Amino acid sequence: MPIPDVLRSLITASGPSGYEGAPARVFADACAAFAEVATDGLGSVTARVKGTGDGPTVAIVGHIDEIGLIVTHIDDKGFLSFIGVGGWDPVILVGQRVEVTTKDGVIPGVVGKKPIHLLKEDERKRAAEMKDLHIDIGAKDGDEAKAMVRIGDVAVISGEPVELPNDRVVSRSMDNRLGCYVAYEAARLVAEAGGAAGDVVAVAAVQEEITFAGARTVAHSLRPDVAIVVDVTHATDAPGIDERENGTHPFGSGPVIERGSTLHPQVFELLHDAAEAESIPFTLAASARFTGTDADAFHLSRDGIPTGLIGLPLRYMHSPVEMVQLDDIANAAKLAAAFATRLAGDHVFTR
């Protein structure tokens, strides 16, 4: 299975939290073929497939931002200091090539640190911290660097997607362009089927990795009757992962339907029933106080929005080699679409 064109365009567009313009445009352009597209003041995109009646409005939500780096200082020799946008393990950054987005376009650079040959004994015994790293754009001095880059410019790790055996794909930004792709594809499937009883709205929400800001504003303005959030979760068939703590979600087992204190029990049951009725493989996961996804914002909006959560098994989260199996993504889109089209027009969500 080749990488779908829309997914490839999403995962190769640079868009850390607060700077999501490029991937948001990809999402909007793709959805415009079958939906009414709008953008809010923060940059989140909604794509509405009109319903056939007055049934409940369903929001299918992925977040469009990715983790990245932001330039905080440019020294006299032309080296860039930075901090993370979102959660990084600094060790992953060592030796990476990066793309810095500037007002004049994207420029290449590398993340550098002191070579091992020059490290003192105690320095060799500790992992690199972000303060030990810098970005080198090849500038001869600070003046040249400052003519190329400004404080507040952002960067992402550079690298093209790689297709592996067994329909497995590696790329940065899978977290969570995958969720946006599932929202897009689910809405497209609903439109292709002639619509659901109510409106189905695919959402690409901004700033999930830092504040859930996009989810908060979209939930408030859109006011859906029910929300299905789609985000990545940990595939548990990689070394070192304890299934007793993380559940059992290997590649090929399909989407993960989560249930827990903050997630609406009826939404869970409807997702569960849809998966069984449509013979879609799935596994289950449990959460308690929070999910760590946009679901934490949606379920608290206004007087409470009934919210469910679909997880996508992913290896090596928050790295440039995030890995997925494509049939899990396709099955997640089928599940979200089946939930929307099976939802009765007069359904009332109560606890």
Side-chain angles (χ1 to χ4, degrees):
M1 182 187 301
I3 304 172
D5 290 342
V6 171
L7 178 56
R8 180 180 289 275
S9 295
L10 284 169
I11 59 180
T12 54
S14 173
S17 305
Y19 299 76
E20 302 95 343
R25 285 189 291 273
V26 171
F27 182 85
D29 290 347
C31 291
F34 56 83
E36 299 175 3
V37 175
T39 303
D40 72 8
L42 286 184
S44 296
V45 180
T46 58
R48 184 184 298 268
V49 177
K50 296 294 289 185
T52 59
D54 59 355
T57 295
V58 179
I60 305 173
V61 184
H63 72 80
I64 195 72
D65 58 317
E66 62 181 300
I67 61 173
L69 311 172
I70 188 167
V71 177
T72 58
H73 178 71
I74 303 171
D75 72 18
D76 292 339
K77 294 182 180 179
F79 298 110
L80 316 181
S81 298
F82 62 88
I83 57 174
V85 179
W88 280 101
D89 178 352
V91 172
I92 286 172
L93 292 168
V94 176
Q96 295 287 350
R97 301 182 184 192
V98 296
E99 299 173 356
V100 185
T101 300
T102 76
K103 69 179 187 303
D104 297 321
V106 174
I107 65 171
V110 297
V111 178
K113 66 180 287 290
K114 188 191 298 185
I116 190 170
H117 316 70
L118 305 180
L119 293 178
K120 294 180 171 57
E121 188 65 29
D122 61 322
E123 292 176 316
R124 295 188 183 196
K125 294 178 180 178
R126 66 173 178 86
E129 300 178 34
M130 206 157 298
K131 66 182 181 181
D132 302 319
L133 310 178
H134 58 267
I135 294 174
D136 188 339
I137 56 173
K140 63 184 179 183
D141 56 31
D143 289 339
E144 185 178 25
K146 290 172 185 177
M148 300 167 66
V149 176
R150 293 184 296 175
I151 303 301
D153 284 344
V154 292
V156 297
I157 290 177
S158 177
E160 287 296 307
V162 178
E163 297 182 14
L164 299 176
N166 302 303
D167 291 330
R168 295 171 182 182
V169 176
V170 166
S171 178
R172 51 153 262 274
S173 82
M174 293 289 196
D175 179 7
N176 186 34
R177 305 288 161 67
L178 290 175
C180 290
Y181 176 76
V182 168
Y184 150 81
E185 179 65 6
R188 188 193 68 79
L189 290 172
V190 170
E192 186 179 75
D199 292 359
V200 175
V201 186
V203 178
V206 298
Q207 299 187 34
E208 188 269 356
E209 294 289 355
I210 55 173
T211 62
F212 301 150
R216 296 177 195 275
T217 55
V218 168
H220 181 84
S221 61
L222 186 62
R223 199 169 191 168
D225 296 294
V226 57
I228 304 298
V229 172
V230 186
D231 208 334
V232 295
T233 190
H234 300 288
T236 55
D237 50 358
I241 297 179
D242 189 342
E243 292 185 348
R244 294 172 300 175
E245 296 180 1
N246 298 281
T248 302
H249 319 295
F251 277 175
S253 61
V256 183
I257 306 175
E258 190 156 326
R259 61 186 308 203
S261 304
T262 61
L263 300 170
H264 200 287
Q266 280 194 44
V267 179
F268 164 77
E269 296 295 351
L270 289 168
L271 285 168
H272 187 281
D273 291 348
E276 291 198 325
E278 301 294 329
S279 299
I280 298 170
F282 67 95
T283 61
L284 301 180
S287 60
R289 294 179 61 187
F290 54 84
T291 69
T293 72
D294 280 333
D296 296 342
F298 264 86
H299 89 279
L300 288 175
S301 181
R302 292 190 180 268
D303 56 351
I305 296 173
T307 301
L309 178 58
I310 294 175
L312 309 172
L314 179 85
R315 291 180 185 169
Y316 320 123
M317 195 180 297
H318 282 204
S319 83
V321 292
E322 293 177 334
M323 185 187 298
V324 297
Q325 187 163 309
L326 290 176
D327 60 352
D328 290 334
I329 310 310
N331 280 321
K334 292 176 184 176
L335 174 57
F339 173 91
T341 54
R342 289 167 54 87
L343 194 59
D346 59 353
H347 192 95
V348 177
F349 289 93
T350 58
R351 275 194 182 256

